[in-house]
Amino acid sequence: MPHTFLRHAAALALCLGTTLAGAQGTGELLRDAATPGDVLTYGMGYAQQRHSPLKQITAQNIQRLVPVWNLSLNTAANASNQPLVIGDTMYVATANDTVAIDAASGRQKWKVPVELPADINGYLCCGIHSRGMAVLDGVLYRTTLDAHVMALDAKTGKTVWRSKAADYKQGYSMTHAPLIAGGVLITGISGGEYGTRGFLKGWDLKTGAEKWHRWTTAAPGEKGGDTWKPGRYEHGGAPTWLTGSYDPQLDLVYWGTGNGGPWNPATRGGDALYICSVLAIRPSTGEIVWHYQFSPGDPYDYDGTNELVLAELPIGGTTTPVLMQANRNGFFYVLDRRNGKLLNASQFAAKVNWASGIDLKTGRPIDTPMTAKVKKTEEATEAVEVWPSAFGGKNWMPMAFDPDRKLAFFNTVNLGMSVKYVKQDRPGGPNWYLGLELGGFAAPADGLRGSLVGWDPVAGKKVWEVKSKAPNWAGVLATASGLVFTGAQTGEFMAFDAASGKKLWQFQTGSGISGLPIAWERDGRQYITVLSGSSTVYGALAGDPELANMPAGSSVWTFALLP
């Protein structure tokens, strides 16, 4: 779909002087990937390719790339956000505020605090941050840490409506950007480590009224309900904590689900649908049209929430609409997005010992003896060392895809972990519900814990790899001029050659980068923006010596070529 269809859709809308409305979305959102002046969607387009058609900044002139402005966000929280750019204004969401910025100068236009309960930090599962927002017709939409959804006037920041999605005191929270699809605002939920039950919700854009609710663990009597032990689905996890993608031609939203609750698979029984899966749903109703489960039963917190990138690839000599994911379990998946059929699954992680491969006929992983035993053992006598770790072969930080070069670019993690499975009753509320003892993380012998990878999804193999001591925790941006941008947890914002992986440029931002870079254009000048300010779960738990002295402090950096 992405670029070919979007250009045709944009041309059609302009010729008719109308927007493509209803089940086909809206014209301005459909055109986002092909109109570089604005950034209106999380992922820089419904397909989440994070690719820009801009070509002004090239390998030949990138040494002239300099910061043109920097704005402090006055917070030490994790800055894992993708800004939106609308006209002359940039918008950034943090956990505590919504900020409007003059895009040309970097001056703050307004800053509106998010009203949060005083005790919110005592109930949070997995991070204090906000990854982004949605926008339509002059209204911004965001989620909040206390599991609410908000609409704000884009000119003033004034609240239009605010709706409750769940009870934060039960361990629920929200950090993701909403998705507008088929005339509906769609949101997910966080909190899988607390034994919550995952779900998706559809909201009325104008009023905030709930239009539909879809649980992501199957109940008795439903399809997949027999994959759970009795009663376990009620606290079975499958959180939906990252934003989905949308194919307006098929009118399907693709949304990933996370780990089971608890991690201990023997307590849940069976595949535990729909944990660690992609769900293809109708945006108007929440109906599940098809699903694919990446890690049935999932003993290792591998999730399936990572970004789901849509593209058209030559598969077997036929151009095929696909969905791609570099899953935390260490395999890169290519699915036919019309029906969920597995087309390719190849190992990208440096070391995988939980499965020996993916069976293309059944779509299921080929469990190693270790994993087969773990799935049947509720109370273990000894620990096992698993690769990849719960951080995954790749974590949440989204990839980029170049539709012309047919290459994906993503940051990997190379760590193992020691786990021992134990019995645990669900404690309730804000308490870990894992069913295991985590013994620590194992680094590779060479000490290189991560890499930036250029990947051929058709061939299922690496084209190039740039290894690093600490894994990069930032999103990736690709441009039509053959550049790949990402950031390091040690503060460097970097550009690489898309064909070879050669590093071409870097700039020290002063704090670790976990933001999602974007490219945009104003008055004929190309800009690159990224948020700096890293306070990640990895940094807190992994014991990485490279990050021992990295300061926090979030800010927005915007770069352009010297005149």
Side-chain angles (χ1 to χ4, degrees):
M1 174 197 77
H3 278 72
T4 301
F5 172 70
L6 287 169
R7 290 190 184 104
H8 289 322
L12 178 62
L14 289 171
C15 290
L16 296 179
T18 62
T19 59
L20 300 177
Q24 295 303 306
T26 63
E28 60 183 352
L29 299 184
L30 283 169
R31 293 190 294 268
D32 191 30
T35 53
D38 293 319
V39 178
L40 305 178
T41 56
Y42 183 84
M44 298 174 60
Y46 273 140
Q48 287 209 44
Q49 293 187 357
R50 298 190 178 275
H51 176 267
S52 171
L54 294 173
K55 297 182 178 181
Q56 187 179 94
I57 302 170
T58 68
Q60 289 70 40
N61 63 25
I62 197 167
Q63 293 304 318
R64 291 167 41 212
L65 190 67
V66 296
V68 293
W69 59 259
N70 169 254
L71 176 70
S72 170
L73 293 173
N74 193 30
T75 176
N78 193 12
S80 54
N81 182 276
Q82 182 213 290
L84 299 179
V85 180
I86 307 160
D88 62 359
T89 306
M90 179 180 293
Y91 297 93
V92 172
T94 72
N96 297 307
D97 303 285
T98 309
V99 186
I101 307 165
D102 182 273
S105 67
R107 292 180 63 89
Q108 181 176 295
K109 288 186 168 184
W110 52 255
K111 183 176 185 178
V112 177
V114 177
E115 295 182 6
L116 295 170
D119 61 352
I120 183 66
N121 287 349
Y123 292 92
L124 289 175
C125 168
C126 308
I128 302 174
H129 53 152
S130 176
R131 291 187 169 91
M133 293 184 285
V135 67
L136 183 65
D137 296 334
V139 179
L140 297 166
Y141 300 91
R142 63 163 297 164
T143 61
T144 66
L145 290 179
D146 61 341
H148 282 71
V149 186
M150 295 181 64
L152 302 90
D153 184 285
K155 289 184 178 180
T156 64
K158 181 180 178 181
T159 299
V160 177
W161 55 257
R162 187 173 187 266
S163 297
K164 181 179 178 179
D167 183 358
Y168 73 93
K169 290 188 177 181
Q170 295 300 313
Y172 286 108
S173 62
M174 302 174 88
T175 60
H176 63 290
L179 173 69
I180 298 171
V184 178
L185 183 75
I186 304 174
T187 60
I189 199 71
S190 301
E193 273 67 37
Y194 284 176
T196 56
R197 187 183 183 192
F199 61 81
L200 295 166
K201 282 185 184 288
W203 308 88
D204 185 281
L205 287 159
K206 298 295 185 183
T207 67
E210 182 180 313
K211 297 175 73 72
W212 54 259
H213 177 104
R214 165 63 58 188
W215 292 113
T216 50
T217 62
E222 297 177 347
K223 183 179 179 181
D226 59 353
T227 63
W228 294 86
K229 287 184 177 180
R232 291 292 184 174
Y233 75 95
E234 295 174 300
H235 304 288
T240 47
W241 52 275
L242 287 176
T243 309
S245 305
Y246 180 45
D247 183 332
Q249 286 185 306
L250 297 175
D251 192 32
L252 288 176
V253 164
Y254 307 95
W255 209 292
T257 67
N259 58 277
W263 291 5
N264 188 327
T267 66
R268 292 183 259 112
D271 290 348
L273 288 170
Y274 296 95
I275 71 166
C276 301
S277 300
V278 52
L279 304 180
I281 65 172
R282 294 288 179 214
S284 58
T285 64
E287 170 200 358
I288 298 176
V289 177
W290 60 257
H291 80 278
Y292 176 83
Q293 191 171 39
F294 298 103
S295 303
D298 182 35
Y300 309 122
D301 186 32
Y302 284 155
D303 278 8
T305 55
N306 286 7
E307 71 287 355
L308 301 158
V309 177
L310 312 185
E312 294 184 355
L313 294 180
I315 305 294
T318 302
T319 300
T320 304
V322 304
L323 172 155
M324 300 178 287
Q325 187 186 74
N327 192 274
R328 275 165 63 163
N329 69 18
F331 292 90
F332 191 103
Y333 291 82
V334 180
L335 305 178
D336 187 323
R337 69 175 182 266
R338 296 169 295 188
N339 52 32
K341 179 183 177 182
L342 179 63
L343 302 174
N344 190 6
S346 303
Q347 180 180 328
F348 71 85
K351 182 177 180 179
V352 173
N353 72 350
W354 73 273
S356 58
I358 309 298
D359 188 322
L360 294 182
K361 291 183 179 180
T362 65
R364 297 180 66 88
I366 304 168
D367 289 344
T368 60
M370 176 189 70
T371 296
K373 182 179 180 180
V374 161
K375 286 183 175 181
K376 298 177 181 178
T377 307
E378 189 170 351
E379 186 79 17
T381 58
E382 58 185 19
V384 296
E385 185 172 287
V386 183
W387 292 75
S389 73
F391 288 121
K394 172 188 173 298
N395 206 271
W396 78 274
M397 45 280 195
M399 73 170 89
F401 176 75
D402 187 320
D404 299 317
R405 295 170 178 84
K406 300 290 190 294
L407 293 178
F409 310 99
F410 52 91
N411 288 313
T412 73
V413 185
N414 186 18
L415 284 177
M417 68 176 177
S418 174
V419 291
K420 179 182 177 183
Y421 294 86
V422 299
K423 291 182 179 180
Q424 181 188 7
D425 293 328
R426 180 176 181 263
N431 294 288
W432 295 104
Y433 182 45
L434 305 183
L436 57 78
E437 297 173 357
L438 184 60
F441 296 96
D446 62 7
L448 302 177
R449 296 181 173 207
S451 64
L452 173 66
V453 169
W455 183 267
D456 182 338
V458 177
K461 65 179 183 181
K462 292 177 186 176
V463 177
W464 51 259
E465 181 176 27
V466 180
K467 294 186 176 183
S468 54
K469 290 183 178 180
N472 301 325
W473 222 258
V476 184
L477 166 71
T479 69
S481 60
L483 297 177
V484 175
F485 290 88
T486 194
Q489 292 193 81
T490 46
E492 296 85 4
F493 188 47
M494 304 170 289
F496 300 81
D497 182 272
S500 66
K502 179 183 178 181
K503 185 190 288 188
L504 303 172
W505 171 91
Q506 72 177 37
F507 177 86
Q508 174 57 248
T509 63
S511 182
I513 301 176
S514 59
L516 314 178
I518 59 171
W520 52 284
E521 183 181 51
R522 186 68 72 248
D523 298 327
R525 193 180 191 192
Q526 179 181 347
Y527 296 89
I528 306 290
T529 296
V530 69
L531 269 66
S532 173
S534 185
S535 177
T536 64
V537 173
Y538 172 86
L541 299 180
D544 195 321
E546 290 295 300
L547 308 182
N549 295 303
M550 277 310 300
S554 298
S555 60
V556 188
W557 288 89
T558 292
F559 300 83
L561 294 176
L562 281 171

